[in-house]
């Protein structure tokens, strides 16, 4: 019982987050629902770049790390590098794929 | 100043949605990608300069942050610019793995803070701990899985499975969830180490999750891991109450899952089936057991050239072999030349030809082949009846009639391009070796079919030269 109450309270306290999650699930499905197969690979690659938004978490971790906490500094630094790779590499690769579509309509 | 950061995140979220929407349409796709990239840049720099923690302090360690951004940015750009068209799927898998690792590392650092609380006897926020665990587990699985998928696509990692592997996988998964669930409510100084056990097991699960899955499933796996990383990013959003991470992550999680389902449907398989990974295990067994060896016939270049030059309609079926040989430009030249001679030339594109859905479309678009020449599977299957010559360039599993006729075949039920309805079939392959799924192909032994061995590019060049002499 206590556990259920705990969960319910958690949902209540973060209800806007749960609203966002539910709306985004439907939106994500709706938005790409009509994609032609031509664009499957670039779409996957573009989505791959967008989840690179995890870099923001890495920046927060890095920026909040105490300057004597070397483990946090090193792990955070690594996280920033990996996150940037995901974002920058992802968008550039997608752009390169889409470059090839430019002339035709 | 916090208001401005909120606006930054709002802009970021909107650009992600718009970007994904525009990416679904050929006319706007490139712009959509750039818009999402611009939104991401705004969100990143907004965070660096405007983010305040609960106590109202700005971030510090700017040198580290910008150092990381610079290194990641340069390496990422170079890698993405240098990569060959054939290796693009691997690259996507690699970048996806980086995102997963990033999410897992965030959980590591944040757990460090929780561990400190535990040691000092302070209460622990179960909600935070839950999101940390989820981010760690999903991120690690995504990272390890993507690395294996990357290795498989470039041929460094071979398929590997043992009997009962899916039971082992399920058990491993249950142990991970059990440990995480236990630790969630009973964390003490004595069992903090279990966190590291969980992360190791999650990495292990990622490896065993992808290892047994064969080639035909790789696109599905990458798409699935892509949506995993999205969910891992969203966990970070929950942890920091950060809405742009939440929107971006869940959006990709949902869209990636739908894309995965669409791909599974194209192969007539269920997600559970792919997840458990029984396909790879079954296919190796079946391939060893039932391999119909018959007689195949070769066709000479001049014969092939004659048949094609005097045909009314030629249908080209591209596959991974075309991508490996980088033969798309030569292929387009051949198509143009045949069209000048009055032959109708079209391309039949199977949704999972190559190593990723849409792989062939991207390749042919690079060579300037026009859209209306690319037929999707249903259209193509209607047109094979009136086709004189089908030229198969390095495609195998997507034209294997076993998918229709042989219930014992591991690819049974997958829709295929029904090329045997055409009058003649010419197959260009490097050798008689089976395709990526490791299954023999009856098509090659049928009387209608003749083989043209050799690298796709070289064969097409010779074929083109031969046709020009007619």
């Amino acid at each position: 019982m206590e556990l259920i109450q705990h969960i319910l309270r958690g949902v209540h306290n973060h209800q806007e987050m749960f609203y966002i999650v539910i709306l985004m699930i439907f939106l994500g499905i709706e938005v790409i629902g009509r994609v032609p197969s031509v664009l499957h690979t670039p779409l996957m690659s573009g989505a791959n770049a967008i989840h690179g938004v995890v870099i923001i978490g890495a920046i927060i971790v890095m920026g909040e790390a105490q300057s004597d906490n070397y483990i946090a500094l090193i792990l955070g630094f690594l996280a920033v590098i990996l996150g940037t790779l995901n974002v920058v590499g992802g968008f550039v690769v997608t752009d390169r794929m889409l470059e090839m579509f430019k002339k035709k309509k | 100043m916090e208001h401005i950061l909120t606006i930054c995140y709002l802009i970021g979220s909107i650009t992600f949605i718009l970007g994904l929407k525009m990416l679904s349409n050929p006319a706007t796709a490139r712009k959509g990608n750039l818009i999402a990239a611009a939104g991401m840049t705004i969100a990143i720099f907004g965070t660096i300069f405007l983010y305040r923690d609960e106590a109202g302090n700005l971030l510090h360690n700017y040198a580290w942050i910008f150092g990381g951004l610079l290194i990641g940015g340069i390496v990422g750009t170079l890698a993405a610019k240098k990569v060959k068209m054939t290796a693009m799927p691997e690259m996507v898998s690699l970048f996806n793995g980086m995102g997963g690792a990033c999410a897992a590392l965030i959980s590591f650092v944040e757990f460090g803070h929780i561990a400190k609380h535990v040691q000092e006897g302070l209460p622990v926020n179960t909600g935070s701990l839950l999101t940390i665990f989820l981010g760690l587990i999903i991120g690690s699985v995504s990272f390890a899985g993507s690395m294996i998928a990357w290795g498989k696509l470039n041929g460094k990692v071979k398929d590997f499975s043992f009997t009962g592997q899916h039971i082992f996988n399920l058990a491993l998964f249950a142990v991970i969830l059990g440990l995480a669930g236990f630790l969630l409510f009973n964390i003490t100084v004595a069992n903090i180490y279990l966190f590291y056990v969980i992360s190791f097991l999650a990495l292990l699960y990622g490896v065993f999750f992808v290892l047994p899955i064969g080639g035909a499933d790789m696109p599905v796996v990458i798409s699935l891991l892509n949506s995993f990383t999205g969910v891992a990013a969203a966990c970070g959003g929950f942890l920091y109450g950060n809405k742009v991470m939440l929107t971006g992550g869940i959006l990709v999680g949902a869209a990636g899952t739908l894309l995965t389902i669409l791909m599974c449907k194209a192969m007539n398989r269920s997600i559970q089936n792919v997840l458990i990974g029984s396909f790879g295990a079954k296919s190796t067994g079946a391939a060893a057991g039932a391999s119909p060896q018959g007689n195949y016939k070769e066709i000479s270049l001049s014969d092939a050239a004659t048949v094609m030059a005097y045909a009314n309609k030629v249908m080209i079926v591209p596959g991974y072999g075309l991508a490996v040989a980088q033969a798309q430009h030569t292929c387009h030249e051949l198509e143009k030349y045949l069209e000048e001679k009055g032959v109708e030339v079209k391309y039949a594109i199977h949704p999972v030809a190559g190593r990723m859905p849409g792989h062939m479309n991207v390749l042919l678009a690079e060579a300037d082949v026009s859209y209306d020449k690319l037929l999707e599977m249903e259209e193509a299957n209607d047109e094979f009846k009136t086709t004189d010559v089908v030229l198969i360039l390095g495609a195998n599993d997507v034209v294997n009639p076993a998918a229709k006729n042989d219930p014992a075949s591991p690819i049974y039920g997958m829709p295929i391009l029904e090329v045997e309805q055409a009058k003649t079939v010419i197959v260009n392959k490097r050798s008689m070796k089976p395709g990526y799924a490791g299954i023999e192909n009856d098509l090659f032994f049928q009387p209608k079919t003749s083989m043209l061995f050799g690298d796709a590019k070289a064969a097409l060049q010779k074929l083109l030269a031969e046709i020009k002499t007619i």
Side-chain angles (χ1 to χ4, degrees):
Chain A
M1 255 344 259
E2 205 184 325
L3 177 65
I4 295 170
Q5 253 181 356
H6 196 85
I7 294 171
L8 287 180
R9 207 172 327 119
V11 173
H12 175 76
N13 291 342
H14 299 96
Q15 49 175 303
E16 48 177 321
M17 300 294 238
F18 284 93
Y19 272 101
I20 293 177
V21 168
I22 292 163
L23 291 175
M24 282 306 137
I25 289 173
F26 281 99
L27 197 59
I29 290 171
E30 201 56 40
V31 150
I32 70 143
R34 269 166 247 108
V35 60
S37 70
V38 201
L39 285 172
H40 275 177
T41 303
L43 179 70
M44 190 197 286
S45 179
N48 174 49
I50 290 175
H51 71 49
V53 73
V54 68
I55 173 84
I56 288 178
I59 291 172
I60 295 174
V61 157
M62 181 82 254
E64 284 182 344
Q66 257 90 48
S67 35
D68 57 346
N69 186 348
Y70 292 109
I71 296 177
L73 281 177
I74 290 166
L75 291 181
F77 183 60
L78 211 58
V80 173
I81 293 179
L82 295 180
T84 318
L85 267 175
N86 186 179
V87 172
V88 177
F91 280 121
V92 175
V93 155
T94 313
D95 191 59
R96 262 193 71 194
M97 286 181 193
L98 293 169
E99 206 177 13
M100 296 154 191
F101 288 81
K102 64 189 170 223
K103 262 175 273 165
K104 287 127 291 185
K105 284 279 122 57
Chain B
M1 288 305 266
E2 279 157 320
H3 315 309
I4 299 178
L5 184 58
T6 305
I7 302 293
C8 287
Y9 284 168
L10 199 57
I11 294 173
S13 302
I14 294 170
T15 58
F16 293 163
I17 299 166
L18 266 182
L20 265 191
K21 172 98 192 142
M22 291 169 84
L23 269 168
S24 319
N25 183 331
T28 53
R30 197 170 181 203
K31 213 192 277 170
N33 184 50
L34 293 179
I35 286 177
M40 184 75 80
T41 314
I42 292 172
I44 289 175
F45 284 97
T47 308
I48 296 176
F49 293 113
L50 301 171
Y51 181 86
R52 282 170 193 279
D53 62 14
E54 279 144 22
N57 300 314
L58 282 170
L59 294 177
H60 45 277
N61 298 326
Y62 279 139
W64 288 84
I65 294 177
F66 282 107
L69 285 177
L70 205 64
I71 296 173
I74 291 172
V75 175
T77 311
L78 285 181
K81 288 257 181 209
K82 287 264 159 71
V83 64
K84 285 202 225 94
M85 270 314 296
T86 38
M88 286 237 178
E90 282 138 78
M91 211 67 216
V92 174
S93 188
L94 194 63
F95 288 143
N96 182 48
M98 299 296 112
C102 181
L105 285 176
I106 292 171
S107 287
F108 258 90
V109 178
E110 289 298 335
F111 185 76
H113 300 154
I114 297 255
K116 219 171 181 184
H117 276 213
V118 173
Q119 276 155 356
E120 288 164 2
L122 295 167
V124 169
N125 182 338
T126 315
S128 300
L129 199 56
L130 177 65
T131 49
I132 288 173
F133 281 151
L134 285 178
L136 172 82
I137 294 170
I138 303 172
S140 304
V141 170
S142 181
F143 167 66
S146 297
M147 288 302 119
I148 298 294
W150 171 70
K152 274 194 175 217
L153 282 172
N154 64 23
K156 287 198 184 93
V157 178
K158 297 274 166 288
D159 291 2
F160 168 81
S161 59
F162 49 86
T163 36
Q165 179 160 6
H166 60 275
I167 294 171
F168 173 81
N169 279 3
L170 283 177
L172 188 58
F173 190 60
V175 170
I176 293 169
L177 287 188
L179 277 179
F182 169 76
L183 207 54
L184 197 56
F185 297 104
N186 305 297
I187 188 160
T188 60
V189 182
N191 60 22
I192 279 177
Y193 73 94
L194 281 177
F195 177 83
Y196 305 99
V197 175
I198 293 174
S199 56
F200 173 75
L201 291 179
L203 286 172
L204 202 65
Y205 181 75
V207 171
F208 281 110
F209 173 62
V210 180
L211 259 187
I213 302 175
D217 273 345
M218 245 347 107
V220 179
V221 171
I222 295 177
S223 172
L224 191 66
L225 293 173
N226 194 29
S227 66
F228 278 10
T229 315
V231 177
C235 290
F238 258 106
L239 190 58
Y240 297 113
N242 188 309
K243 304 215 173 49
V244 76
M245 286 175 79
L246 196 62
T247 25
I250 296 289
L251 202 59
V252 173
T257 308
L258 176 65
L259 198 57
T260 314
I261 293 172
L262 291 178
M263 284 179 217
C264 285
K265 270 195 188 144
M267 298 193 296
N268 200 21
R269 313 223 346 263
S270 67
I271 294 208
Q272 292 94 308
N273 193 275
V274 176
L275 272 179
I276 292 169
S278 60
F279 180 58
K282 244 196 307 183
S283 83
T284 38
S291 51
Q293 284 298 330
N295 292 319
Y296 58 87
K297 61 174 185 288
E298 281 193 59
I299 190 168
S300 70
L301 273 171
S302 57
D303 283 349
T306 317
V307 188
M308 288 178 71
Y310 292 104
N312 285 319
K313 186 154 146 195
V314 171
M315 191 82 83
I316 299 175
V317 179
Y320 190 62
L322 179 91
V324 170
Q326 289 285 303
Q328 64 271 31
H329 295 283
T330 323
C331 185
H332 181 49
E333 267 179 62
L334 177 74
E335 166 220 318
K336 273 193 300 191
Y337 191 79
L338 284 173
E339 290 259 296
E340 278 168 29
K341 295 203 92 177
V343 183
E344 187 186 356
V345 184
K346 286 190 176 152
Y347 295 83
I349 312 287
H350 191 278
V352 297
R355 291 290 187 268
M356 276 193 140
H359 196 178
M360 293 301 122
N361 301 81
V362 175
L363 266 187
L364 292 171
E366 187 201 358
D368 275 342
V369 175
S370 87
Y371 275 159
D372 45 333
K373 290 211 166 294
L374 308 184
L375 301 183
E376 294 195 15
M377 186 169 55
E378 287 81 14
E379 286 175 275
N381 279 341
D382 288 340
E383 291 211 15
F384 280 129
K385 284 165 220 130
T386 58
T387 302
D388 300 302
V389 182
V390 170
L391 176 64
I392 298 175
L393 298 170
N396 190 344
D397 298 328
V398 297
V399 292
N400 193 338
K404 261 178 41 190
N405 312 328
D406 177 12
S409 168
I411 60 166
Y412 182 70
M414 177 174 101
I416 52 158
L417 290 165
E418 291 158 13
V419 293
E420 68 268 52
Q421 295 187 1
K423 290 203 190 87
T424 330
V425 179
I426 300 175
V427 181
N428 167 247
K429 269 170 73 54
R430 275 178 298 187
S431 68
M432 280 308 285
K433 275 207 308 216
Y436 204 51
I439 313 156
E440 282 292 344
N441 194 337
D442 270 343
L443 179 73
F444 305 153
F445 306 105
Q446 284 176 8
K448 249 183 217 188
T449 312
S450 37
M451 310 297 294
L452 183 66
F453 290 116
D455 167 84
K457 191 173 184 177
L460 281 175
Q461 276 165 347
K462 284 184 215 150
L463 194 59
L464 183 60
E466 201 68 45
I467 291 177
K468 281 182 178 165
T469 63
I470 295 173

